Amino acid sequence: MWSENAVAPASIQPGVAADATANATASSNPRFLQIERLGKAYVPARPVFADVSFEIARGEFVCIIGHSGCGKTTILNVLAGLDSATAGHVFMDGREVDGPGLERGVVFQSHALMPWLTVRQNIAFAVKSRWPPWTAAQVKAHVEKFVAMVGLLPAIDKKPSQLSGGMKQRVGIARAFSIQPKMLLLDEPFGALDALTRGTIQDELMGIVRETQQTVFMITHDVDEAILLADRILLMRNGSDTPAGYVPGGIAEVVANPLPRSRTRSGLHHLDGYYALRNHIVDFLVTRAHAH
């Protein structure tokens, strides 16, 4: 089993050597986000998950993978301050998270745009909330910068009904980045998109994250997406009944991504160690994602 404290198998070592500095983010900037013994129970005797603990370093991209029902979205919502845990604590930058805040940007699978506002107005609404004293000119310049970053300047004065699904997700990403959050939380933001659009936006997100050094926590069901984007991948198991009794869900394993951080979608499958990493994650999902 690979963990954040383990050495990767020999077949993965070329990736480590190729980009040891880029993938050492967690050790150089520890404890930006701390999750301590988090638990969630709707039925006291059968918590969805329990004793979930991990850390995310500043500037690190972490993905979490697991089957539906294991509690991934609940964890993200707790990090966002949109839900409360039954047990445990979340600390960001030394302060406990106890509600929503503009220091955390959230992008959901559904774009959550206000349909009566244009692209410009949707993003401006967030920017004005973040910086109330700004002048109209400052807001305009800031909005246009982030709309340009996701390639949507030609559509800046269109309403969501005039945009494709991929364009709406770009607006959601631009809006989240525009408030310059300390952390970005992504809940399967590309899950409803076709493969080509998904790939294009993955590339755009990867470019923006590298440019801004944004800290990101992302839920995905796509193994290749996690390998492409993440510095570390949390493998989460479901709660289940066993001969010894009910075992709640939790983080089963933390996998450090040893591939070069400069990886691209088109070149991913050519990298030494890619198939070993992919097979390890798929094997977990197929055979080990449920407690035994």
Side-chain angles (χ1 to χ4, degrees):
M1 182 171 75
W2 306 349
S3 73
E4 56 190 336
N5 297 318
V7 176
S11 61
I12 301 291
Q13 287 300 317
V16 175
D19 206 30
T21 302
N23 283 325
T25 311
S27 60
S28 60
N29 297 290
R31 304 174 69 85
F32 169 68
L33 185 82
Q34 297 168 263
I35 291 84
E36 298 181 353
R37 305 199 68 179
L38 209 64
K40 183 70 173 183
Y42 299 100
V43 178
R46 298 177 65 86
V48 179
F49 58 85
D51 290 326
V52 168
S53 298
F54 59 92
E55 295 181 356
I56 299 178
R58 194 183 303 275
E60 189 178 19
F61 198 128
V62 172
C63 279
I64 186 167
I65 284 182
H67 292 303
S68 296
C70 67
K72 303 182 304 296
T73 295
T74 300
I75 290 175
L76 182 140
N77 286 339
V78 171
L79 301 188
L82 301 174
D83 196 358
S84 58
T86 308
H89 304 275
V90 176
F91 299 93
M92 190 178 77
D93 231 3
R95 301 180 63 180
E96 186 159 14
V97 171
D98 59 1
L102 289 171
E103 73 277 6
R104 282 154 286 145
V106 187
V107 181
F108 297 104
Q109 184 171 339
S110 57
H111 53 80
L113 300 178
M114 291 173 277
W116 60 91
L117 299 181
T118 64
V119 171
R120 183 193 303 276
Q121 291 166 338
N122 264 283
I123 299 173
F125 182 86
V127 172
K128 291 173 184 176
S129 299
R130 177 70 175 81
W131 295 285
W134 277 17
T135 66
Q138 285 176 304
V139 172
K140 180 176 182 294
H142 194 76
V143 168
E144 290 177 356
K145 171 187 173 182
F146 285 90
V147 173
M149 196 176 281
V150 296
L152 282 179
L153 274 179
I156 193 169
D157 291 312
K158 292 184 177 180
K159 293 184 177 179
S161 61
Q162 299 172 281
L163 306 178
S164 68
M167 292 168 79
K168 291 173 186 174
Q169 284 304 88
R170 282 190 179 93
V171 178
I173 291 169
R175 181 175 59 185
F177 274 103
S178 73
I179 61 172
Q180 297 180 344
K182 292 181 179 180
M183 182 160 195
L184 192 63
L185 302 165
L186 307 175
D187 188 359
E188 291 193 82
F190 315 132
L193 303 178
D194 64 87
L196 184 60
T197 303
R198 184 185 188 115
T200 300
I201 302 181
Q202 285 171 350
D203 287 342
E204 290 173 351
L205 175 65
M206 195 160 49
I208 296 170
V209 167
R210 288 173 183 167
E211 178 184 339
T212 61
Q213 296 296 299
Q214 180 71 60
T215 307
V216 183
F217 179 80
M218 177 176 174
I219 295 172
T220 181
H221 281 102
D222 187 320
V223 174
D224 282 328
E225 182 169 81
I227 295 173
L228 174 65
L229 296 173
D231 300 309
R232 286 188 301 147
I233 303 164
L234 311 183
L235 306 183
M236 192 166 181
R237 69 172 186 272
N238 289 66
S240 65
D241 291 299
T242 73
Y246 177 76
V247 177
I251 304 298
E253 191 175 342
V254 180
V255 180
N257 189 342
L259 304 181
R261 212 181 191 199
S262 57
R263 56 193 175 267
T264 62
R265 185 165 44 96
S266 60
L268 197 61
H269 65 287
H270 294 298
L271 295 174
D272 289 338
Y274 161 73
Y275 285 106
L277 177 59
R278 189 180 195 280
N279 290 343
H280 180 82
I281 297 171
V282 171
D283 175 69
F284 168 81
L285 293 172
V286 172
T287 66
R288 297 187 288 121
H290 293 275
H292 297 290

